[in-house]
Amino acid sequence: MTTYAAPLEDMQFALDLAGLPEIAELPRYAEATPDLIAAVLDEAGKFGAGVLAPINAVGDQQGCRLEPDGTVRMPDGAVEAYAQFLEAGWNSLPFDPDYGGQGLPGVVGVAVAEIWHAANMAWSIGPLLTTGTIEALSVHGTDHQKEVYLPKLVSGEWTGTMNLTESQAGSDLAQLRCKAEPAPDLGEDRYRIHGQKVFISHGDHDLTENICHLVLARLPDAPPGVKGISLFLVPKRLVAADGSLGDANDVKAVSLEHKLGIHGSPTAVMAYGDDGGAVATLIGAPHQGLACMFTMMNNARLNVGLQGVGIAERAYQQAVAFACDRVQGVDVTDPATGRATIVHHPDVRRMLMDMRARTEAARLLTYYAAARMDLAKAQPDESVRAAAQARADVLTPVVKGWCTEVGFAVSDMGVQVHGGTGYIEETGAAQHLRDARVARIYEGTNGIQAIDLVSRKVLRDKGAAVRALVADMRATHDALTGAPADVAAMAPAFAAALDDLEATTTWVLDHASPLDAQGAATPYASLFGIAAGGWLMMRAALDARRRLDAGTGNPAQWQAKLGTARYFADAVMPFTRAHRAAALAGPDSLMALEEDWF
Amino acid sequence: MTTYAAPLEDMQFALDLAGLPEIAELPRYAEATPDLIAAVLDEAGKFGAGVLAPINAVGDQQGCRLEPDGTVRMPDGAVEAYAQFLEAGWNSLPFDPDYGGQGLPGVVGVAVAEIWHAANMAWSIGPLLTTGTIEALSVHGTDHQKEVYLPKLVSGEWTGTMNLTESQAGSDLAQLRCKAEPAPDLGEDRYRIHGQKVFISHGDHDLTENICHLVLARLPDAPPGVKGISLFLVPKRLVAADGSLGDANDVKAVSLEHKLGIHGSPTAVMAYGDDGGAVATLIGAPHQGLACMFTMMNNARLNVGLQGVGIAERAYQQAVAFACDRVQGVDVTDPATGRATIVHHPDVRRMLMDMRARTEAARLLTYYAAARMDLAKAQPDESVRAAAQARADVLTPVVKGWCTEVGFAVSDMGVQVHGGTGYIEETGAAQHLRDARVARIYEGTNGIQAIDLVSRKVLRDKGAAVRALVADMRATHDALTGAPADVAAMAPAFAAALDDLEATTTWVLDHASPLDAQGAATPYASLFGIAAGGWLMMRAALDARRRLDAGTGNPAQWQAKLGTARYFADAVMPFTRAHRAAALAGPDSLMALEEDWF
């Protein structure tokens, strides 16, 4: 079993840089005082380290079980941890006080959730999906639906799931076949659902007595394709108008997947309506299900990016602990001191610095995007809200794609730091790699994220949102050039990354055919992640330098931040040039082979 | 279960490009006619596909068992497959006819072994280690040792192992504690070994009745550090002078590791001398064990690089099969044709082309290095032999490091091509990722390979071997610029990669301190792999163009090679510039943090 301690100092710093002080001044978040936030993070750190982290390896080893009676049993400790989680009020943190939430800014909820993912990624998928369900219901639900379902979801007494995928419809939701029929015999706005959904995370479990499944299905009069999809809420147990629980609904988990990782999260095949029809209620307008689901999905995408941050932090901490303990070889800068811990070796340092730099940049980027969502909701000035929403929109696929790549790369490097020991399961390093792997796949593969970025976030507004971002980045670059020498030294590397982002954006705008755009999507997204994460690392360096000069806080923290930002500039940023070259080469060599030559 | 078909056309092409025709003209390899080689590859392909591939998933699921009586049981089918392997004579293919080998060039043995690794990487670790044992005994054994042990190892009736690692001595062999005492009571040149070795691949199994353990240990008068290590052969069962088997020796597997992958290969903790002393014979001179072990290790390093090639090919084939079968979305270049298989999508094409290009480049590089070893042994001209040996020496860490990175990256991308299905163990894609992961760790981690490259292969000869390689690369570049337009178009990308290799080599030579050299090692090795693999892809493109113009062979194969080489030039080569930047940034940011800031 490996230990974990929430990196509270860096989380607090990332919240500051994301603009939490500005958000906390908005009337809606008046209660989010610095003292309260600090206390919340501190307590969350204790809960993550003391309750969730200890059952992480257990969940991996035991996995989940589908009992013969159709019940899904969670691994040892999961149910008790969930009860404590609810008891402490963790589930309700960022939600609307009208429905029992604590009304803290979303970015604070994100910081706290980073701790859950780091401590126990598999277990935390449950609350992650509940968060998305609350978001979708809050935006698209009727008042009655909100009154019935939101209090239970906000408290965490019930959990939520997302049911999109069918075996023939993964990335291609147009192929959905799940059917919904009006059932006026059951009451107003009642439907019966028939069909099967696959890869349903936390599709069934014994954490709560009810589960709210959000299900995409087609109404009888639906047009074909994605314009004929509607969103339904299908509770595991029927819910009366007063919110009380009724009979079991006609929905069940029929099998659980045997996966590479996240064994502690049940991934189910869900059967709807095998016994006459699963009773459902419509969320939003008929045939508008995809738009409703995107509300949930955009929330989930940010939170999946956050899983990348969490698992990276966990893997980093474990690698550091190993490297500071394992004695092997001599310190090449001072061989006379005899055998040294491997943290002294330059090549091990490279791995640790790379893990640290990527993890911190991914944290900054995720918190920054989450803070934009808070501003988009709560800022009184409409133009500020719109700008914040546009920024959040363009960054959502970058957070999901790049931060999950970081999560995997860092977990993978964590295995490498351990040498042979890393390949042994008992060490725990390999579990992080296995767990982290899924985040690049689910909630839309990273290829889908890249295509979303290029087609919906760059081409659709003709580059306006990206240009606004680049303008902010240019301002940071100007600040770097005027900063003290240690910070100014990073300016050339950042300038090059910024040039790459601009040049490749221009190329994408000039090559808007689906073939060109999709061919360039993945290199463009990779480049974007480095440039955006790097931008925030540069802002972090400027801020660290200021705090150091002002003598505030812990000087070692600011020195370390400066060193880590410098590593990012030295060794991570140069990769934007390579991704730019790959994008600008165009699709010819991608498509050079006939299908039967493969 | 996934299928596998040996890529015989590309293997044959890679053998040609590696110089097999030239090697086959040497007197020693007179029997290696083109017809014979083709027949051997064809039969190997059938054996891999028909016998080894079907038990690959079984081995992963069952793993190996240590019975209460100390016997290690292989998974179902492994023992039978090994018997067939011996029966068909596969084990003896590249070895000396004086000891029962078939005397084929080593590079042909490498091509055949690629098939074994692709078909069943875990199972094939046994023969891989036997090959290294044969190599070490052939070079360092006495005539008597060779007479007693080599025939059994060459036939495969006995297998070999490498026993280096102890729990406190991994990369740092100076810390070895295993002890050897002379035992004149047992006969001339007899020793007793005491100690424990860990991470011993195929340390025990039920494939054969004897196992020859090569074990590093210290004699009583040994100087400290690596200059006091000797190499011993410890048979599992004692062997009489006439080669007949005697009693069990005092060596046993005391536990098996629970690993991320290669479950079909038993990784044992081996106890020597718990019951009085394991009887051993000295290989080579006292205290020269490390040099002897390096003979074995260099062979094993090439073969571990080859594992990377094999697993990459396997993952590539599986991804192609899925992409050509899975229907999802529409062909963006022709949406009117309706739903299409995902092989039509540009982003999926990028993954497949990336997998293909890296796999082919890694194959070319591994075969090329293996062919240099053949020339270094068998070429009559001493200067040609020396040049070939120098080339093999510099490329060995590159093959081990870069090709295993390719093996993992391609396996990882194979999972991604499958989407959600890739995360499900039954698909088989995840097994390749788990299996491939170990090759970056064992036989010296890739960090150790990078340090070996920089310190022993660049700095030691002041860059002479690299300069000779760069001169050959320049000649290829000149040929590119004079070639038809489709090939000439790749010249600028290759020129840039070559510049990066030269500039970074110069920097390394100018910054020879251990801190500078080790700090730059990993980016330098990454750059070197791309440049060297890319060089051979450029030579392949030239050759494919020539064959196409001459109308020989299968035009689709040459067209595909040209397209794949172009992809490599477009999208892989540009990364040398980023690695160069990371190397030339020097170690300052690597070492910027105090140990307690991590």
Side-chain angles (χ1 to χ4, degrees):
Chain A
M1 200 174 70
T2 66
T3 59
Y4 162 74
L8 298 178
E9 281 193 341
D10 201 58
M11 293 172 68
Q12 188 70 63
F13 177 76
L15 286 170
D16 285 358
L17 207 78
L20 178 60
E22 176 192 349
I23 292 166
E25 282 175 14
L26 300 174
R28 178 163 171 168
Y29 299 123
E31 292 185 22
T33 62
D35 284 354
L36 178 77
I37 304 296
V40 163
L41 291 179
D42 195 47
E43 284 301 315
K46 287 177 190 161
F47 191 86
V51 178
L52 298 182
I55 59 169
N56 186 45
V58 176
D60 184 57
Q61 287 149 21
Q62 292 187 346
C64 306
R65 298 193 310 281
L66 179 61
E67 303 283 3
D69 71 354
T71 319
V72 172
R73 297 272 169 225
M74 296 289 282
D76 287 356
V79 171
E80 296 77 3
Y82 193 76
Q84 290 181 257
F85 186 77
L86 263 52
E87 174 72 20
W90 287 120
N91 200 72
S92 62
L93 206 75
F95 302 123
D96 190 342
D98 288 349
Y99 299 101
Q102 299 173 52
L104 286 179
V107 69
V108 176
V110 159
V112 166
E114 182 200 317
I115 296 176
W116 314 151
H117 296 309
N120 194 326
M121 177 171 153
W123 183 93
S124 305
I125 291 169
L128 185 160
L129 289 165
T130 304
T131 299
T133 305
I134 292 167
E135 188 79 11
L137 269 179
S138 301
V139 176
H140 302 288
T142 63
D143 287 346
H144 179 68
Q145 286 169 335
K146 291 188 206 177
E147 279 159 28
V148 172
Y149 293 100
L150 279 182
K152 301 289 192 180
L153 289 163
V154 165
S155 69
E157 283 170 89
W158 299 350
T159 65
T161 71
M162 291 174 69
N163 288 243
L164 289 75
T165 305
E166 299 173 13
S167 58
Q168 79 294 346
S171 302
D172 184 6
L173 290 173
Q175 298 305 300
L176 282 185
R177 290 183 197 146
C178 224
K179 282 185 183 155
E181 303 167 312
D185 53 311
L186 297 174
E188 200 188 343
D189 181 36
R190 283 292 179 280
Y191 297 81
R192 286 192 180 84
I193 306 278
H194 291 270
Q196 197 175 69
K197 295 285 183 178
V198 302
F199 298 151
I200 307 308
S201 295
H202 267 62
D204 195 33
H205 55 72
D206 56 356
L207 299 174
T208 57
E209 54 182 358
N210 207 7
I211 303 173
C212 299
H213 301 291
L214 290 187
V215 181
L216 290 181
R218 291 185 186 283
L219 287 163
D221 60 343
V226 293
K227 291 178 180 167
I229 299 172
S230 305
L231 182 64
F232 298 87
L233 191 158
V234 183
K236 180 180 175 181
R237 285 182 61 185
L238 297 175
V239 181
D242 65 355
S244 62
L245 282 182
D247 292 339
N249 203 348
D250 183 9
V251 48
K252 59 176 182 292
V254 292
S255 67
L256 296 183
E257 303 292 355
H258 174 218
K259 308 185 298 294
L260 175 61
I262 54 166
H263 297 162
S265 173
T267 304
V269 175
M270 300 298 293
Y272 290 88
D274 277 4
D275 196 23
V279 180
T281 171
L282 180 69
I283 305 293
H287 317 318
Q288 298 299 314
L290 208 62
C292 302
M293 199 52 127
F294 260 111
T295 302
M296 181 171 190
M297 214 144 56
N298 279 330
N299 179 294
R301 284 176 174 181
L302 183 92
N303 282 311
V304 170
L306 184 67
Q307 291 185 311
V309 178
I311 200 86
E313 175 66 33
R314 181 70 181 266
Y316 167 73
Q317 289 190 19
Q318 183 167 352
V320 167
F322 182 83
C324 291
D325 179 65
R326 171 74 170 164
V327 173
Q328 201 77 175
V330 298
D331 183 340
V332 295
T333 65
D334 194 4
T337 52
R339 256 51 209 172
T341 52
I342 64 170
V343 73
H344 290 90
H345 303 331
D347 192 61
V348 173
R349 276 294 173 106
R350 172 177 296 285
M351 290 190 274
L352 295 179
M353 288 302 289
D354 209 79
M355 294 168 78
R356 181 183 177 99
R358 288 177 201 268
T359 303
E360 289 184 5
R363 175 178 296 122
L364 290 173
L365 185 61
T366 305
Y367 287 20
Y368 175 82
R372 302 288 82 55
M373 293 178 182
D374 282 330
L375 292 171
K377 272 185 197 163
Q379 236 280 353
D381 183 329
E382 191 186 332
S383 70
V384 176
R385 283 205 308 276
Q389 187 63 52
R391 185 66 53 92
D393 287 347
V394 76
L395 288 181
T396 295
V398 181
V399 168
K400 196 283 180 180
W402 192 67
C403 297
T404 61
E405 296 291 336
V406 166
F408 185 74
V410 170
S411 305
D412 174 65
M413 229 176 283
V415 171
Q416 196 70 16
V417 169
H418 285 79
T421 313
Y423 201 64
I424 308 301
E425 285 288 0
E426 284 77 0
T427 307
Q431 186 195 339
H432 304 323
L433 179 150
R434 289 187 290 98
D435 287 350
R437 186 64 185 84
V438 74
R440 292 163 53 203
I441 298 173
Y442 63 13
E443 292 307 320
T445 65
N446 285 357
I448 294 289
Q449 304 301 321
I451 292 169
D452 175 63
L453 175 65
V454 167
S455 59
R456 295 203 192 91
K457 310 301 168 61
V458 176
L459 290 173
R460 189 173 288 176
D461 75 358
K462 298 190 169 55
V466 176
R467 267 192 299 274
L469 176 61
V470 167
D472 284 357
M473 290 175 163
R474 286 266 167 236
T476 300
H477 176 259
D478 293 347
L480 284 179
T481 57
D486 58 346
V487 178
M490 307 177 205
F494 181 53
L498 205 37
D499 283 347
D500 294 333
L501 177 59
E502 278 201 286
T504 313
T505 303
T506 301
W507 188 93
V508 165
L509 290 166
D510 291 346
H511 297 76
S513 78
L515 175 62
D516 282 339
Q518 293 189 21
T522 286
Y524 182 68
S526 301
L527 183 171
F528 207 122
I530 296 171
W535 168 49
L536 295 169
M537 284 298 273
M538 296 302 99
R539 287 183 49 189
L542 286 162
D543 203 55
R545 182 77 257 170
R546 272 193 295 271
R547 298 193 195 211
L548 203 54
D549 293 344
T552 56
N554 174 7
Q557 186 185 355
W558 315 136
Q559 290 283 14
K561 184 63 76 182
L562 286 165
T564 307
R566 178 63 187 264
Y567 177 85
F568 198 99
D570 281 354
V572 182
M573 275 187 196
F575 284 82
T576 56
R577 190 61 46 102
H579 293 299
R580 168 183 173 172
L584 269 60
D588 287 355
S589 64
L590 294 186
M591 309 305 284
L593 271 60
E594 302 290 334
E595 187 180 332
D596 61 0
W597 297 356
F598 280 98
Chain B
M1 200 175 68
T2 65
T3 58
Y4 163 73
L8 298 178
E9 279 192 342
D10 200 57
M11 294 172 70
Q12 187 72 61
F13 177 76
L15 285 171
D16 285 358
L17 206 78
L20 178 60
E22 176 193 349
I23 292 166
E25 280 175 14
L26 300 173
R28 179 164 171 168
Y29 298 123
E31 292 183 23
T33 62
D35 284 355
L36 178 76
I37 304 295
V40 163
L41 291 179
D42 194 48
E43 284 302 315
K46 288 179 191 162
F47 191 85
V51 178
L52 299 182
I55 58 170
N56 185 45
V58 176
D60 184 56
Q61 287 149 20
Q62 293 189 346
C64 306
R65 300 192 309 278
L66 179 61
E67 304 284 1
D69 69 355
T71 319
V72 173
R73 297 272 169 224
M74 297 290 282
D76 288 354
V79 171
E80 295 76 5
Y82 193 75
Q84 290 180 257
F85 186 75
L86 264 51
E87 173 73 21
W90 288 119
N91 201 71
S92 62
L93 204 75
F95 302 122
D96 189 341
D98 288 351
Y99 298 101
Q102 298 174 54
L104 285 179
V107 69
V108 175
V110 160
V112 166
E114 181 200 317
I115 297 176
W116 314 150
H117 297 309
N120 194 324
M121 178 172 151
W123 184 94
S124 304
I125 292 170
L128 185 160
L129 289 165
T130 303
T131 299
T133 307
I134 292 167
E135 188 79 10
L137 269 180
S138 300
V139 176
H140 303 288
T142 63
D143 286 346
H144 180 66
Q145 286 168 336
K146 292 189 207 176
E147 278 159 26
V148 172
Y149 292 101
L150 280 182
K152 301 288 192 180
L153 289 163
V154 165
S155 69
E157 282 170 272
W158 300 351
T159 64
T161 72
M162 292 175 69
N163 287 243
L164 288 75
T165 305
E166 300 172 13
S167 59
Q168 79 293 346
S171 302
D172 184 6
L173 290 173
Q175 299 304 302
L176 282 186
R177 290 183 197 145
C178 224
K179 281 185 184 155
E181 302 167 312
D185 54 310
L186 297 173
E188 201 189 342
D189 180 38
R190 283 291 180 280
Y191 298 81
R192 284 193 180 85
I193 306 278
H194 291 271
Q196 198 176 69
K197 295 287 181 177
V198 302
F199 297 150
I200 307 308
S201 296
H202 268 63
D204 195 32
H205 56 71
D206 56 356
L207 299 175
T208 56
E209 54 182 359
N210 207 8
I211 301 174
C212 299
H213 301 293
L214 289 187
V215 181
L216 290 181
R218 290 185 186 281
L219 287 163
D221 60 343
V226 293
K227 291 177 180 166
I229 298 172
S230 305
L231 182 64
F232 298 87
L233 191 159
V234 182
K236 179 180 176 182
R237 284 182 63 186
L238 298 175
V239 181
D242 65 355
S244 62
L245 282 183
D247 291 342
N249 202 349
D250 183 8
V251 48
K252 58 176 181 291
V254 292
S255 68
L256 296 184
E257 304 292 356
H258 175 218
K259 308 185 299 292
L260 175 62
I262 54 164
H263 297 162
S265 172
T267 303
V269 175
M270 300 296 295
Y272 290 88
D274 276 4
D275 195 23
V279 180
T281 173
L282 180 70
I283 306 293
H287 317 319
Q288 298 299 314
L290 208 64
C292 301
M293 199 52 127
F294 260 111
T295 301
M296 184 172 185
M297 214 144 57
N298 278 330
N299 178 294
R301 284 175 174 182
L302 183 92
N303 282 310
V304 170
L306 183 67
Q307 290 184 312
V309 178
I311 200 85
E313 174 67 34
R314 180 67 179 268
Y316 167 73
Q317 289 189 19
Q318 183 167 352
V320 166
F322 181 82
C324 291
D325 179 64
R326 172 75 171 163
V327 173
Q328 202 76 176
V330 297
D331 183 339
V332 294
T333 65
D334 194 5
T337 51
R339 258 49 210 172
T341 51
I342 64 171
V343 72
H344 290 91
H345 302 332
D347 192 62
V348 173
R349 275 297 171 104
R350 173 176 295 283
M351 291 191 272
L352 295 179
M353 287 303 288
D354 209 79
M355 295 169 78
R356 181 184 177 99
R358 288 178 202 269
T359 303
E360 290 185 6
R363 175 178 295 121
L364 290 173
L365 185 61
T366 306
Y367 288 19
Y368 175 82
R372 302 287 84 53
M373 293 179 183
D374 282 330
L375 292 171
K377 272 184 195 162
Q379 232 281 352
D381 183 329
E382 192 186 329
S383 69
V384 176
R385 283 204 308 275
Q389 186 64 52
R391 184 66 52 91
D393 287 346
V394 76
L395 289 180
T396 295
V398 181
V399 168
K400 196 282 180 182
W402 191 67
C403 297
T404 61
E405 297 290 337
V406 165
F408 185 73
V410 170
S411 306
D412 174 65
M413 227 174 283
V415 170
Q416 197 69 18
V417 169
H418 285 79
T421 313
Y423 202 64
I424 308 302
E425 285 288 1
E426 285 77 0
T427 308
Q431 185 195 341
H432 303 323
L433 180 150
R434 289 187 289 98
D435 287 350
R437 186 65 185 83
V438 75
R440 291 162 54 203
I441 298 172
Y442 63 15
E443 292 307 321
T445 64
N446 286 357
I448 294 289
Q449 303 302 322
I451 293 169
D452 175 64
L453 174 65
V454 166
S455 59
R456 293 202 192 91
K457 310 301 169 62
V458 175
L459 290 173
R460 188 173 287 175
D461 75 357
K462 300 189 167 53
V466 177
R467 268 193 297 275
L469 175 61
V470 168
D472 284 358
M473 291 174 162
R474 286 267 167 236
T476 299
H477 176 258
D478 293 347
L480 285 178
T481 57
D486 59 346
V487 178
M490 307 177 205
F494 182 52
L498 204 40
D499 283 347
D500 294 332
L501 177 59
E502 278 201 288
T504 314
T505 303
T506 300
W507 188 93
V508 166
L509 290 166
D510 290 346
H511 297 77
S513 79
L515 175 62
D516 284 337
Q518 293 188 21
T522 286
Y524 182 68
S526 301
L527 182 171
F528 207 122
I530 297 171
W535 168 49
L536 294 169
M537 283 299 272
M538 296 301 99
R539 286 183 50 189
L542 285 162
D543 203 54
R545 184 75 256 171
R546 271 193 296 269
R547 296 192 197 211
L548 204 53
D549 294 344
T552 57
N554 173 7
Q557 184 184 357
W558 316 135
Q559 289 284 14
K561 184 64 75 182
L562 286 166
T564 308
R566 178 62 187 265
Y567 177 85
F568 198 100
D570 281 353
V572 183
M573 274 186 196
F575 284 83
T576 56
R577 190 59 47 102
H579 293 299
R580 169 184 173 173
L584 268 59
D588 286 357
S589 64
L590 295 187
M591 309 305 285
L593 271 60
E594 302 289 335
E595 188 179 332
D596 60 2
W597 296 356
F598 279 99

